[in-house]
Amino acid sequence: MSLQTEKTTLALSAKDIPQEAFDWYDEYAHGDIDRRTFLSRLGTLSVAGLTLSVVAGALTPNYALAEQVSFNDPDITASYVEFDSPNGHGKARGYLVVPKGVDANNKAATVLVAHENRGLNPYIEDVARRLAKAGFIALAPDALFPLGGYPVNDDEGRAMQRTLDGSKIEGDFKDAATLLKNHVFSTGKVGMVGFCFGGYLTNSLAANMPDTINAGAPYYGTPAKSNIDQIKAPLQIHFAELDDRVNATWPDYEKALKANKVDYTAYVYPKANHGFHNDSTGRYQEDNAELAWERTIGFFKQNLNA
C-alpha cells in the first residue's frame, strides 16, 4: 500500500468513527484509563464496516505518515545536540534544525518546539523541520532523554514521562530556551510552539521566562500554573472545538490574560478534536491543521523577524 493510499484510508475511516471513540482516546492518551479499558470501550461500539483493529489503528499514531519535510531536505541541516540543563535533569538532548545559509554572520530567529506527553516522536521532529523550512532555527528537546530517550512506542513513552519530575522537565525546556536565545546563530529572538503537554509548557514558559520567550503558540494546552501576570509575549492560542477537557480551562485563562493586558488571539477550530494538528492519527484534520500552521508561521514571522 502506498503512503498516499494509507493516508486516504486513515482519513476515510476516521469520518465514520463516533465521537465517543475520540473522547476515550483522549482519556487513554492522558492516563485517565489504561489500554485495556480503552480497547474494551471501543469494542462496545457498533461501527458499520469497521473492525476494532481498524478503529484503534485510526486513532493511534502511525508515524510513517508524519513526514512532510524529509530529514535529508537540502534546505535544512538537522542533528541531535546535548546541552547542559542546570534547571532540569543536568543534561538534556534535543533535535536541532538549522535553515540552509544560516550561520554566525547570517543569523535567524529561533523557535522552541515542545512535544506531547510521550517524548520526542517523529511528528514533533517533523514540526521542527517545517519551522526550519520556514526560516527559523528550531530546537525540539526530548523530555525522555534522562531515561534513554523516546522509545519508538507511544504507550511506553507516556509511561516513561509519567515517572519524571514535571518541574525538571520544565527546567530542561527552560534551559533549551536559554540556549536558543544565546546560540551563536540566533538573533536572540525566541518563539515557542507546543502541543498538548507542550501547549502547557508554552503557556508556562511565556509566564515564567517573560524576558526570553518573545512569542508563544500553544496548541490545545492548559494554562500556566503561576505567574500569568508576568506574560509579556504575544500569544496565538489554538483550540479544538470538541476538546472539552482543555477548553474548560479557557474562560479563567482568558480573564487573566485580559486583566494583564496580554496581546493574544485565540482560535477555535470547528469539529476538531484534541490533537487535530498531528497528521499521524485519525484525529488529524487537514484543513484545520494547515490553517492553524499557516497562522502560526505568520505569527512567528511578524513577532520574531521584526
Side-chain angles (χ1 to χ4, degrees), residues 2 11 14 16-17 24 49 84 113 131 134 245 254:
S2 69
D16 297 322
I17 297 173
W24 295 334
D84 291 333
V113 184
L131 285 160
R245 178 180 57 84
E254 184 175 34

Side-chain angles (χ1 to χ4, degrees), residues 15 64 100 130 163 239 251 265 300:
K15 291 179 182 178
K100 182 179 180 180
R130 296 175 209 174
T163 69
F239 293 105
T265 304
F300 284 146

Side-chain angles (χ1 to χ4, degrees), residues 195-212:
F195 306 87
C196 184
F197 172 72
Y200 158 74
L201 285 179
T202 302
N203 285 320
S204 186
L205 264 65
N208 291 285
M209 300 187 77
D211 295 324
T212 299

Side-chain angles (χ1 to χ4, degrees), residues 37-104:
T37 302
F38 169 57
L39 292 177
S40 176
R41 288 183 181 179
L42 288 185
T44 67
L45 296 176
S46 298
V47 186
L50 298 179
T51 65
L52 172 61
S53 62
V54 169
V55 176
L59 291 171
T60 54
N62 178 354
Y63 288 123
L65 306 179
E67 184 178 87
Q68 294 188 21
V69 179
S70 169
F71 66 90
N72 288 321
D73 191 294
D75 292 334
I76 62 173
T77 300
S79 61
Y80 295 95
V81 296
E82 293 186 17
F83 55 94
D84 291 333
S85 182
N87 293 299
H89 288 95
K91 279 285 186 182
R93 184 175 189 255
Y95 186 62
L96 180 68
V97 195
V98 180
K100 182 179 180 180
V102 170
D103 55 30

